[in-house]
Amino acid sequence: MSDAYQELLEWLREAPRTDGWGCVLAWDRQWVNTLLLREYMARFTSDSYLPPFTAQIDTSPLTRELIDDYTLDCPRLSFDDSTYSDPRARLRMKVVGGVQLSIEAADDGSPRLAKIAEIDVLAGPTLHMKLALRRTPGETNPLGQVVLNLAEGGNFELSFADTAQQRALGGEFFQKKFEELPEDKKVFVLGELLVPESGVLQPESFEMRIHRKPDHPGEGAVLMMVRMRGYDNGSESPSEQDLRYLLEDGYDFALLLGRDLLVDRLFLPPCQELCDPDTPFLGRLESPSEGAAFHLHAAAGDAWPSAINLHSATFPSITCRSKVPLVSDLCRFKLSVAENDISLEWQGEHTPDVLLELHSGALLLAACKIDFLIKRRYRLSLIRSEGLLQFVESTGAAVNTCEVAIKDNGLPPGIADSFKAEVSGQMRDALLDDFKAGMNLFKANLASIYLDQMTGLLFRGREHLRFDKTGFTRDLALFGSIAPVSDVFFVQPAELLMAPGESRLFFTLPLRSVTWTVEVPKGECGPVGSINELGLYTAPRELDRPFLRVRISASAGGHTSSALVTVLPSEISVNPLVMVHRAGSGMGREMVAGARDPGSLSWALVNPDSGSRIVPSEMADGDKTYFPGPVQPGVAWSIDEIKVTHDLSRRSRTVHVMLTHFAVSLQITATPAADGRTIALKAVHEGEEVPGEYPVEWQVLLGAGSVDATSGLYTPGETSPYRFSIVTAQVHWTGSMKSNGYILLPFPFIELPKPGWKGFSVSRPADR
């Protein structure tokens, strides 16, 4: 037992530490995030908070993102390495499909395409909802679900643009979409509580904090301060320094049940059952200044009445009606709680009347004196397999003594002696039977505590708590491990990307003999592939969609663990697919890449002499940032090729950047032609189409399709691997003066909406 753990126990023994809450729970943060990830896989569904949609998001007065068929993945929750004063969690929704077009204003205010990104599982942005836990209340709803109210504590950020401000604007757009959802969609279901109405623990709401482990960077606990039904909120420690870290000695779970809650829900009910409702039990709590014990004294209350009817040789009838008090001048009742033991002691002297009938028919009313001592001892017992904490009566510790006599005050001679000889033993035995029945009633109402219910505050699965140490300090403190049923074995690998037709072997840790199954999650359909009895999974060879999700599960002994597999044809994905940038600009453009197979990716410029750079991104969750090289005199355009290579497979993907080395003064418009197949391109200068007497020279600089060099009629390339086309135009005004322009066309073609930017003006450089 470590010194830190001993110091923690001493701190707990000094005073109640739940600060008025029903209970305080501490969960190891890394363990919680691991189990939340496992639950994400087990309950994964293709459903999402938001359906796929197309929209325009203004990211500045001069820029706009057009997102088309944006598809969000199932939300995933985790708790950040934050502070007690500013605790945070994060809900992430990966964008797994769609197209994103980045639009900027040309000199004349017309829309011009600057970037094209094809979103997929490998290289899509992420929608982050940052949850300020102090403003995110947790509560249980009538369905027994434990929910976080996201509408009150979350703000959004979408990692789809180059600057933090633009990402925040993207998040604001989604936050508005979120606010339009029905009320039941504005919550995140954290766990599920199935608590019987008679249960000791009745969680109704809670607040969450993050408590860092002192001197251990990155380690910490998720704290839950739980208000029980029928109680008020507690307070909290004024600072992190005032709260001891609860996870010592390698434990990853701790539970403090408040002393007042235990007295109300655990100890008062059996005491009340012991008493006649006409004379109910009232308690007085005493906590000595030294030690961890506390005592519950009876302040009022009488036991259920005893009705004793006997007879003997001297007395044809003996009748005694009595209610033994729990507290009086001569009686006391005390329940003492310390460490793992509960001691009950009830003793005193009671003097009820007894009615004696003589053979002559005379009736005598005598004062009966009852001296009694009743003791019981109970100990905490934990049934680990059921997560059940109960109280077991200690064998051999019970004390049941009772002496009965009548007072010889004014009775006829010999009556007291006859009573002692003939009746005292019978009455003693009858009273002891009543005392024992009362103690059995007390024990029957000393409720058990289903500790595993508390895991429902965080998890919807069947998780168990494995406790190693329990005991009463000033509160009831329990320490142990988060031991989920699924933790009996884990399916490995837990998350996997696979190619169509590929086979991979799944296994469990530790190794188990299991039954393997494969299924599509709720909301999906189609082929799932196959898995054999050894865990060898083979993905479908043909996909009718961009990617397929399947869940691989292993089951044994009533336990199940799952893995999530994504089958997709893409080996490497890089975004943006293509972009246009200005040579010499100091503004970086964010880029991201992903690979289906594990392993690192290497980024390289095919022509490093351009002076461009690719550096690690400084954005949160960023990948790389591209900075263009310097302006090259006499050059209109140049192309940077960026090659991303998988270090193990040596497979690669190349994307392109067109750099402009001059002020673009010719704008290009694109309109679908009447034939529905070609696109009519027009050159515009200073808001007017270039007159016919000035010929325009058209050229496909890079990408798919072809363009008529004189008419500007563009024909898409149906079989080209490129998903875009960069078309340039040049007008010769005189022998020495010319204007150049370009247009970036997505394929399939999407006509850009008119942005309606107002108040836009720039100083226009002279044409080259």
Side-chain angles (χ1 to χ4, degrees), residues 657-712:
V657 182
M658 185 184 86
L659 295 177
T660 63
H661 293 260
F662 64 98
V664 178
S665 58
L666 198 64
Q667 312 307 326
I668 310 299
T669 65
T671 305
D675 60 12
R677 189 175 64 87
T678 57
I679 298 170
L681 302 180
K682 293 182 180 180
V684 177
H685 184 261
E686 295 185 347
E688 300 291 339
E689 184 178 354
V690 174
E693 63 265 28
Y694 299 101
V696 182
E697 297 177 6
W698 298 93
Q699 178 187 1
V700 173
L701 183 67
L702 179 69
S706 60
V707 64
D708 186 283
T710 57
S711 70

Side-chain angles (χ1 to χ4, degrees), residues 356-646:
L356 304 174
E357 181 185 3
L358 302 180
H359 285 288
S360 64
L363 296 175
L364 299 175
L365 188 63
C368 183
K369 178 185 177 184
I370 303 171
D371 290 297
F372 65 94
L373 174 62
I374 304 298
K375 288 185 177 181
R376 293 292 186 273
R377 184 179 295 274
Y378 309 95
R379 58 181 175 81
L380 286 175
S381 176
L382 182 67
I383 303 178
R384 288 182 170 84
S385 62
E386 300 179 16
L388 179 65
L389 185 65
Q390 59 185 6
F391 295 93
V392 178
E393 188 170 349
S394 300
T395 57
V399 175
N400 304 287
T401 64
C402 182
E403 297 296 332
V404 180
I406 58 172
K407 296 182 179 181
D408 195 7
N409 295 335
L411 293 175
I415 293 297
D417 293 336
S418 297
F419 185 91
K420 180 178 180 181
E422 301 174 15
V423 179
S424 292
Q426 294 183 66
M427 186 171 286
R428 177 199 63 208
D429 292 344
L431 285 169
L432 284 176
D433 286 344
D434 284 346
F435 279 123
K436 291 176 183 178
M439 291 300 97
N440 289 338
L441 187 63
F442 178 90
K443 174 61 175 63
N445 285 275
L446 193 59
S448 300
I449 303 175
Y450 290 89
L451 299 167
D452 275 357
Q453 293 172 349
M454 302 308 290
T455 63
L457 289 171
L458 268 179
F459 308 109
R460 280 193 274 180
R462 291 182 57 233
E463 322 302 329
H464 280 288
L465 304 176
R466 184 174 55 236
F467 290 100
D468 296 321
K469 288 185 171 59
T470 62
F472 287 98
T473 52
R474 295 291 177 149
D475 306 299
L476 176 58
L478 303 101
F479 302 93
S481 303
I482 307 170
V485 169
S486 58
D487 196 19
V488 174
F489 52 81
F490 276 152
V491 172
Q492 296 292 331
E495 286 187 285
L496 191 62
L497 302 173
M498 294 179 61
E502 183 181 359
S503 296
R504 290 291 297 270
L505 182 66
F506 287 82
F507 57 94
T508 65
L509 286 178
L511 293 174
R512 292 284 191 273
S513 177
V514 297
T515 300
W516 293 97
T517 57
V518 56
E519 62 179 353
V520 290
K522 179 184 175 183
E524 294 274 8
C525 61
V528 298
S530 61
I531 191 166
N532 66 17
E533 67 276 6
L534 300 178
L536 183 66
Y537 171 69
T538 301
R541 294 189 176 277
E542 302 292 336
L543 296 184
D544 58 356
R545 64 199 74 184
F547 64 91
L548 170 72
R549 286 272 172 70
V550 298
R551 182 163 42 232
I552 305 291
S553 298
S555 301
H559 309 321
T560 299
S561 179
S562 300
L564 195 63
V565 175
T566 303
V567 183
L568 70 165
S570 301
E571 297 177 354
I572 298 175
S573 182
V574 185
N575 272 318
L577 185 66
V578 62
M579 57 183 172
V580 180
H581 206 1
R582 181 166 48 86
S585 173
M587 176 180 290
R589 290 281 174 84
E590 293 298 304
M591 303 187 70
V592 62
R596 188 178 59 202
D597 298 320
S600 59
L601 296 173
S602 296
W603 294 66
L605 285 160
V606 175
N607 179 22
D609 294 338
S610 69
S612 300
R613 296 178 297 126
I614 300 173
V615 300
S617 173
E618 295 182 358
M619 299 290 292
D621 297 327
D623 192 352
K624 301 294 182 183
T625 306
Y626 166 86
F627 290 94
V631 173
Q632 300 175 22
V635 175
W637 332 93
S638 65
I639 299 292
D640 264 342
E641 291 185 72
I642 301 171
K643 187 176 183 180
V644 181
T645 304
H646 189 271

Side-chain angles (χ1 to χ4, degrees), residues 178-231:
F178 189 88
E179 291 170 354
E180 295 170 1
L181 294 173
E183 289 298 323
D184 62 339
K185 288 289 189 178
K186 294 180 182 178
V187 297
F188 179 80
V189 179
L190 191 60
E192 290 180 341
L193 281 175
L194 300 175
V195 181
E197 290 295 327
S198 59
V200 174
L201 306 181
Q202 298 279 335
E204 188 165 64
S205 65
F206 56 90
E207 294 185 10
M208 304 184 78
R209 303 288 183 267
I210 303 296
H211 193 187
R212 287 179 171 176
K213 186 172 184 179
D215 303 320
H216 289 75
E219 295 187 39
V222 177
L223 296 182
M224 302 182 78
M225 286 91 79
V226 183
R227 179 177 68 83
M228 298 294 176
R229 188 171 297 128
Y231 291 82

